[in-house]
Amino acid sequence: MSLIKLDTIDMIYGNGNSAVHALKDINMEVEKGDFTAIVGKSGCGKSTLLNILGAVTKPKKGKYYFEQTEVNQLKSGAMAKFRNKKIGFVVQHFALIKELKVKENISLPLIYQSCTKKEIENRVKEALKLLEIEDKENSYPTELSGGQCQRVAIARAIIANPDVVLADEPTGALDEENGRNIIRIFEELNKKGSTIILVTHDMEIAEKCRKRIYLKDGRIVKIDC
């Protein structure tokens, strides 16, 4: 049984002559424990597809199933719970709150889940250790390097033990060495059982993933396993 299934997904922005057909007839499945890359050139629909998987964007047509639940039929409250409990999101430019310390940024998903203060403290410590940034817990994002900021963003994404981690060009804002380090972190998370879907235009990164879904002009043109 697939963890995720997309059935004939279309995404259109705008109307009439100005309409942009971002995704066309997308059919794909993701199994629990997969490490999947969505690959293609800029503008091919990669980020749009990732946003649909993260329930940030609702498709114009088609069905999105997560553990056999049709996600697009969820009401707003249930949708918010779905995103908070099932999905961890890592974006290219980190999206950290500059006014909050590292440990506070990481703890945000647990606060939204109304976890106890003690539970939050324990899980944040575990995440800091896993991402090797224990010494940065009281730092602010502006005091960190790009690689350290991305580690904080990953810690925040996994702190609530989501079923799927989505990463949009997670190495795009990093130098080559830090990029390799971040991919190694994703590989280790996947070995521990996390299902990971990342967007990239970098074939060296894509080759690290067990499955590659190639997009061109909004369509899936090839799937490598």
Side-chain angles (χ1 to χ4, degrees):
M1 183 191 306
S2 298
L3 178 65
I4 288 172
K5 181 178 179 180
L6 298 186
D7 182 4
T8 323
I9 293 289
D10 274 26
M11 187 64 205
I12 302 171
Y13 295 107
N15 297 292
N17 294 333
S18 62
V20 176
H21 210 147
L23 295 175
K24 308 166 189 174
D25 296 324
I26 298 295
N27 293 283
M28 60 176 275
E29 296 186 22
V30 176
E31 306 293 331
K32 188 174 178 60
D34 272 355
F35 189 7
T36 299
I38 299 172
V39 188
K41 294 181 179 179
S42 178
C44 72
K46 302 187 303 294
S47 293
T48 297
L49 179 53
L50 205 70
N51 284 334
I52 287 172
L53 291 169
V56 175
T57 301
K58 186 175 181 179
K60 199 76 172 179
K61 190 181 83 172
K63 296 181 178 180
Y64 170 18
Y65 296 97
F66 193 103
E67 295 178 328
Q68 298 186 302
T69 295
E70 190 175 344
V71 173
N72 297 328
Q73 296 301 313
L74 296 175
K75 295 184 179 180
S76 59
M79 185 72 83
K81 287 182 179 179
F82 167 79
R83 284 192 295 261
N84 196 34
K85 290 187 175 181
K86 300 292 186 179
I87 305 294
F89 226 121
V90 181
V91 297
Q92 181 174 345
H93 294 288
F94 324 132
L96 302 177
I97 299 174
K98 290 186 284 188
E99 294 78 16
L100 297 182
K101 294 178 180 180
V102 163
K103 62 182 179 183
E104 294 167 336
N105 268 284
I106 294 172
S107 70
L108 286 174
L110 300 181
I111 293 172
Y112 295 143
Q113 289 186 10
S114 301
C115 293
T116 66
K117 184 177 179 180
K118 186 64 176 176
E119 183 178 3
I120 291 172
E121 288 177 355
N122 290 338
R123 289 170 70 174
V124 167
K125 284 182 180 179
E126 290 174 6
L128 288 165
K129 183 177 181 180
L130 180 65
L131 275 298
E132 299 179 349
I133 47 174
E134 302 104 307
D135 60 329
K136 303 299 179 183
E137 66 173 329
N138 289 309
S139 299
Y140 289 92
T142 52
E143 300 171 328
L144 305 180
S145 68
Q148 290 167 342
C149 283
Q150 195 61 294
R151 287 171 184 261
V152 175
I154 294 171
R156 182 184 56 192
I158 66 172
I159 190 73
N161 297 320
D163 291 335
V164 177
V165 176
L166 304 177
D168 193 356
E169 296 282 8
T171 64
L174 305 177
D175 60 40
E176 188 173 340
E177 181 180 358
N178 275 308
R180 284 196 298 267
N181 290 337
I182 292 303
I183 293 303
R184 278 196 287 269
I185 289 169
F186 281 121
E187 288 177 315
E188 289 302 314
L189 290 171
N190 181 244
K191 288 176 183 177
K192 294 176 184 292
S194 295
T195 303
I196 297 172
I197 304 172
L198 64 83
V199 155
T200 185
H201 62 272
D202 188 329
M203 282 308 304
E204 184 177 345
I205 291 172
E207 290 294 334
K208 301 286 187 181
C209 302
R210 292 204 297 269
K211 180 189 290 183
R212 290 165 295 282
I213 298 173
Y214 295 86
L215 288 185
K216 182 178 180 180
D217 298 329
R219 295 184 184 274
I220 293 177
V221 293
K222 184 171 68 168
I223 299 177
D224 285 341
C225 298

Short mmCIF file of all heavy atoms in Angstrom, two decimals, residues 42-69:
data_model
loop_
_atom_site.label_atom_id
_atom_site.label_comp_id
_atom_site.label_asym_id
_atom_site.label_seq_id
_atom_site.Cartn_x
_atom_site.Cartn_y
_atom_site.Cartn_z
N SER A 42 14.61 24.53 -13.98
CA SER A 42 13.81 25.59 -13.37
C SER A 42 12.56 25.84 -14.20
O SER A 42 12.61 25.90 -15.43
CB SER A 42 14.65 26.87 -13.29
OG SER A 42 13.90 27.93 -12.74
N GLY A 43 11.41 25.95 -13.53
CA GLY A 43 10.16 26.23 -14.21
C GLY A 43 9.40 25.01 -14.70
O GLY A 43 8.34 25.15 -15.31
N CYS A 44 9.92 23.81 -14.42
CA CYS A 44 9.26 22.60 -14.93
C CYS A 44 8.11 22.13 -14.05
O CYS A 44 7.38 21.21 -14.42
CB CYS A 44 10.27 21.47 -15.10
SG CYS A 44 10.86 20.76 -13.55
N GLY A 45 7.93 22.74 -12.86
CA GLY A 45 6.82 22.35 -11.99
C GLY A 45 7.24 21.63 -10.72
O GLY A 45 6.38 21.18 -9.95
N LYS A 46 8.53 21.53 -10.45
CA LYS A 46 9.02 20.77 -9.29
C LYS A 46 8.47 21.31 -7.98
O LYS A 46 7.92 20.56 -7.16
CB LYS A 46 10.55 20.78 -9.22
CG LYS A 46 11.27 20.25 -10.43
CD LYS A 46 12.77 20.14 -10.21
CE LYS A 46 13.45 21.43 -9.81
NZ LYS A 46 13.41 22.46 -10.87
N SER A 47 8.63 22.61 -7.76
CA SER A 47 8.18 23.20 -6.49
C SER A 47 6.67 23.18 -6.36
O SER A 47 6.14 23.00 -5.26
CB SER A 47 8.71 24.64 -6.37
OG SER A 47 10.12 24.65 -6.25
N THR A 48 5.97 23.36 -7.47
CA THR A 48 4.50 23.26 -7.44
C THR A 48 4.09 21.87 -6.99
O THR A 48 3.18 21.71 -6.15
CB THR A 48 3.92 23.56 -8.83
OG1 THR A 48 4.23 24.90 -9.19
CG2 THR A 48 2.41 23.38 -8.84
N LEU A 49 4.74 20.86 -7.52
CA LEU A 49 4.43 19.48 -7.13
C LEU A 49 4.72 19.26 -5.65
O LEU A 49 3.91 18.65 -4.93
CB LEU A 49 5.24 18.51 -7.99
CG LEU A 49 5.07 17.01 -7.70
CD1 LEU A 49 3.60 16.60 -7.73
CD2 LEU A 49 5.88 16.18 -8.70
N LEU A 50 5.83 19.79 -5.17
CA LEU A 50 6.17 19.63 -3.76
C LEU A 50 5.15 20.33 -2.87
O LEU A 50 4.76 19.81 -1.82
CB LEU A 50 7.57 20.16 -3.49
CG LEU A 50 8.29 19.57 -2.27
CD1 LEU A 50 8.67 18.12 -2.53
CD2 LEU A 50 9.53 20.36 -1.91
N ASN A 51 4.69 21.49 -3.29
CA ASN A 51 3.69 22.22 -2.51
C ASN A 51 2.35 21.49 -2.47
O ASN A 51 1.64 21.57 -1.47
CB ASN A 51 3.51 23.63 -3.08
CG ASN A 51 4.65 24.56 -2.73
OD1 ASN A 51 5.32 24.37 -1.72
ND2 ASN A 51 4.88 25.56 -3.56
N ILE A 52 2.02 20.78 -3.52
CA ILE A 52 0.81 19.97 -3.50
C ILE A 52 0.99 18.80 -2.53
O ILE A 52 0.09 18.49 -1.74
CB ILE A 52 0.48 19.47 -4.93
CG1 ILE A 52 -0.07 20.63 -5.76
CG2 ILE A 52 -0.54 18.32 -4.89
CD1 ILE A 52 -0.26 20.32 -7.23
N LEU A 53 2.14 18.17 -2.56
CA LEU A 53 2.41 17.07 -1.63
C LEU A 53 2.37 17.55 -0.18
O LEU A 53 1.97 16.81 0.72
CB LEU A 53 3.78 16.45 -1.94
CG LEU A 53 3.89 15.68 -3.25
CD1 LEU A 53 5.34 15.35 -3.57
CD2 LEU A 53 3.06 14.39 -3.19
N GLY A 54 2.78 18.79 0.06
CA GLY A 54 2.76 19.36 1.40
C GLY A 54 1.45 19.99 1.78
O GLY A 54 1.33 20.55 2.87
N ALA A 55 0.46 19.88 0.89
CA ALA A 55 -0.89 20.44 1.12
C ALA A 55 -0.84 21.95 1.32
O ALA A 55 -1.69 22.52 1.99
CB ALA A 55 -1.57 19.75 2.30
N VAL A 56 0.16 22.57 0.73
CA VAL A 56 0.24 24.04 0.73
C VAL A 56 -0.60 24.59 -0.42
O VAL A 56 -1.23 25.64 -0.32
CB VAL A 56 1.71 24.50 0.59
CG1 VAL A 56 1.79 26.01 0.46
CG2 VAL A 56 2.53 24.01 1.77
N THR A 57 -0.60 23.85 -1.53
CA THR A 57 -1.34 24.22 -2.73
C THR A 57 -2.34 23.12 -3.07
O THR A 57 -2.00 21.93 -2.99
CB THR A 57 -0.38 24.43 -3.92
OG1 THR A 57 0.56 25.44 -3.60
CG2 THR A 57 -1.13 24.80 -5.19
N LYS A 58 -3.54 23.52 -3.45
CA LYS A 58 -4.56 22.56 -3.86
C LYS A 58 -4.59 22.48 -5.38
O LYS A 58 -4.67 23.51 -6.07
CB LYS A 58 -5.93 22.99 -3.34
CG LYS A 58 -7.03 21.97 -3.60
CD LYS A 58 -8.33 22.42 -2.94
CE LYS A 58 -9.44 21.39 -3.17
NZ LYS A 58 -10.70 21.80 -2.50
N PRO A 59 -4.51 21.28 -5.96
CA PRO A 59 -4.49 21.17 -7.41
C PRO A 59 -5.82 21.57 -8.04
O PRO A 59 -6.86 21.54 -7.39
CB PRO A 59 -4.19 19.68 -7.65
CG PRO A 59 -4.71 19.00 -6.42
CD PRO A 59 -4.45 19.96 -5.30
N LYS A 60 -5.75 21.95 -9.30
CA LYS A 60 -6.95 22.33 -10.03
C LYS A 60 -7.80 21.10 -10.35
O LYS A 60 -9.03 21.16 -10.37
CB LYS A 60 -6.54 23.03 -11.33
CG LYS A 60 -7.63 23.87 -11.97
CD LYS A 60 -7.79 25.18 -11.21
CE LYS A 60 -8.73 26.13 -11.93
NZ LYS A 60 -8.90 27.38 -11.18
N LYS A 61 -7.11 19.98 -10.57
CA LYS A 61 -7.81 18.75 -10.93
C LYS A 61 -7.02 17.56 -10.41
O LYS A 61 -5.82 17.63 -10.24
CB LYS A 61 -7.98 18.65 -12.45
CG LYS A 61 -8.90 17.54 -12.93
CD LYS A 61 -8.98 17.50 -14.45
CE LYS A 61 -7.81 16.73 -15.02
NZ LYS A 61 -7.95 16.49 -16.48
N GLY A 62 -7.71 16.45 -10.15
CA GLY A 62 -7.04 15.23 -9.72
C GLY A 62 -7.18 14.99 -8.22
O GLY A 62 -7.74 15.83 -7.49
N LYS A 63 -6.66 13.85 -7.76
CA LYS A 63 -6.81 13.46 -6.37
C LYS A 63 -5.46 13.15 -5.74
O LYS A 63 -4.59 12.57 -6.37
CB LYS A 63 -7.73 12.24 -6.26
CG LYS A 63 -9.16 12.53 -6.73
CD LYS A 63 -10.06 11.32 -6.60
CE LYS A 63 -11.48 11.66 -7.03
NZ LYS A 63 -12.40 10.50 -6.90
N TYR A 64 -5.33 13.56 -4.47
CA TYR A 64 -4.12 13.33 -3.69
C TYR A 64 -4.52 12.49 -2.48
O TYR A 64 -5.31 12.91 -1.64
CB TYR A 64 -3.54 14.68 -3.26
CG TYR A 64 -2.42 14.64 -2.24
CD1 TYR A 64 -1.68 13.48 -1.98
CD2 TYR A 64 -2.07 15.78 -1.53
CE1 TYR A 64 -0.66 13.46 -1.06
CE2 TYR A 64 -1.04 15.78 -0.60
CZ TYR A 64 -0.34 14.61 -0.36
OH TYR A 64 0.67 14.60 0.56
N TYR A 65 -3.96 11.27 -2.43
CA TYR A 65 -4.24 10.36 -1.32
C TYR A 65 -3.00 10.22 -0.44
O TYR A 65 -1.89 10.04 -0.93
CB TYR A 65 -4.62 8.97 -1.83
CG TYR A 65 -5.89 8.93 -2.64
CD1 TYR A 65 -5.85 8.96 -4.04
CD2 TYR A 65 -7.14 8.85 -2.03
CE1 TYR A 65 -7.01 8.91 -4.79
CE2 TYR A 65 -8.30 8.81 -2.77
CZ TYR A 65 -8.23 8.84 -4.15
OH TYR A 65 -9.40 8.80 -4.89
N PHE A 66 -3.22 10.33 0.87
CA PHE A 66 -2.16 10.09 1.85
C PHE A 66 -2.71 9.05 2.81
O PHE A 66 -3.69 9.29 3.51
CB PHE A 66 -1.83 11.37 2.60
CG PHE A 66 -0.55 11.30 3.40
CD1 PHE A 66 0.60 11.91 2.93
CD2 PHE A 66 -0.49 10.62 4.60
CE1 PHE A 66 1.78 11.86 3.66
CE2 PHE A 66 0.68 10.55 5.33
CZ PHE A 66 1.83 11.17 4.85
N GLU A 67 -2.06 7.88 2.82
CA GLU A 67 -2.56 6.75 3.62
C GLU A 67 -4.06 6.52 3.34
O GLU A 67 -4.86 6.32 4.24
CB GLU A 67 -2.33 6.99 5.11
CG GLU A 67 -0.86 7.03 5.48
CD GLU A 67 -0.64 7.33 6.96
OE1 GLU A 67 -1.47 8.06 7.54
OE2 GLU A 67 0.36 6.81 7.51
N GLN A 68 -4.41 6.58 2.05
CA GLN A 68 -5.77 6.32 1.54
C GLN A 68 -6.79 7.42 1.89
O GLN A 68 -7.95 7.30 1.53
CB GLN A 68 -6.29 4.95 2.01
CG GLN A 68 -5.43 3.79 1.50
CD GLN A 68 -6.02 2.45 1.84
OE1 GLN A 68 -6.24 2.14 3.01
NE2 GLN A 68 -6.29 1.65 0.83
N THR A 69 -6.35 8.47 2.58
CA THR A 69 -7.23 9.61 2.83
C THR A 69 -7.07 10.61 1.70
O THR A 69 -5.94 10.95 1.32
CB THR A 69 -6.88 10.29 4.17
OG1 THR A 69 -7.14 9.40 5.24
CG2 THR A 69 -7.72 11.56 4.36
#
